[in-house]
């Protein structure tokens, strides 16, 4: 089992930036896929971005050019740098990891509003 902890999140104005982090602990394998999902009120949870242990990344179209996903393997931590934030980015963001198990973080609220 892997535990995922997501500090961060918060309130930011449109056009602003925010960085989310997700720290993994427990039975960690070196081969993995980690990603960020988000769920806005009344909507289904959607994949935002993912990164593999080999460095392959994917972004959903709505965040391409604005968000950057990265990892620090020495710290077992994944990041999501979010720039040029829009009100439609408002959601609960969830960290997700697949290696020998499938695990989710508890979620962190991101609100983009003036």
């Amino acid at each position: 089992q892997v535990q995922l902890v997501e500090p961060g999140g918060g309130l930011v104005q449109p056009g602003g930036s925010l960085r989310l982090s997700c720290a993994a602990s427990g039975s960690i394998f070196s081969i993995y896929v980690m990603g960020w999902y988000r769920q806005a009120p009344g909507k289904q949870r959607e994949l935002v971005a993912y990164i593999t242990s080999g460095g392959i990344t994917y972004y959903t179209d709505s965040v391409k050019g604005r968000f950057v996903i990265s990892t620090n393997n020495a710290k077992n931590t994944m990041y999501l740098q979010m720039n040029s934030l829009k009100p439609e980015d408002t959601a609960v963001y969830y960290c997700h990891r697949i290696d020998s198990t499938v695990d989710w973080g508890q979620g962190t609220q991101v609100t983009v509003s003036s």
Side-chain angles (χ1 to χ4, degrees):
Q1 193 76 19
V2 175
Q3 292 76 47
L4 302 174
V5 177
E6 312 165 34
L11 173 65
V12 62
Q13 292 187 342
S17 297
L18 197 62
R19 189 176 81 156
L20 303 181
S21 62
C22 173
S25 62
S27 300
I28 296 171
F29 284 72
S30 60
I31 299 175
Y32 61 81
V33 178
M34 291 190 75
W36 292 95
Y37 286 73
R38 66 186 180 187
Q39 187 166 19
K43 295 188 177 181
Q44 289 188 330
R45 190 174 297 190
E46 66 169 346
L47 174 64
V48 176
Y50 71 71
I51 184 167
T52 71
S53 50
I56 296 171
T57 59
Y58 163 85
Y59 299 92
T60 194
D61 286 346
S62 61
V63 308
K64 283 181 182 176
R66 300 190 298 123
F67 291 11
V68 178
I69 190 170
S70 63
T71 55
N72 182 328
N73 289 326
K75 295 183 177 180
N76 294 320
T77 301
M78 175 179 65
Y79 304 96
L80 185 68
Q81 178 67 44
M82 304 186 292
N83 302 317
S84 302
L85 283 161
K86 304 176 181 180
E88 51 263 44
D89 294 317
T90 296
V92 178
Y93 283 71
Y94 297 91
C95 171
H96 181 251
R97 181 181 174 102
I98 302 172
D99 48 35
S100 64
T101 59
V102 179
D103 298 284
W104 291 90
Q106 78 280 9
T108 186
Q109 177 69 47
V110 173
T111 302
V112 184
S113 175
S114 55

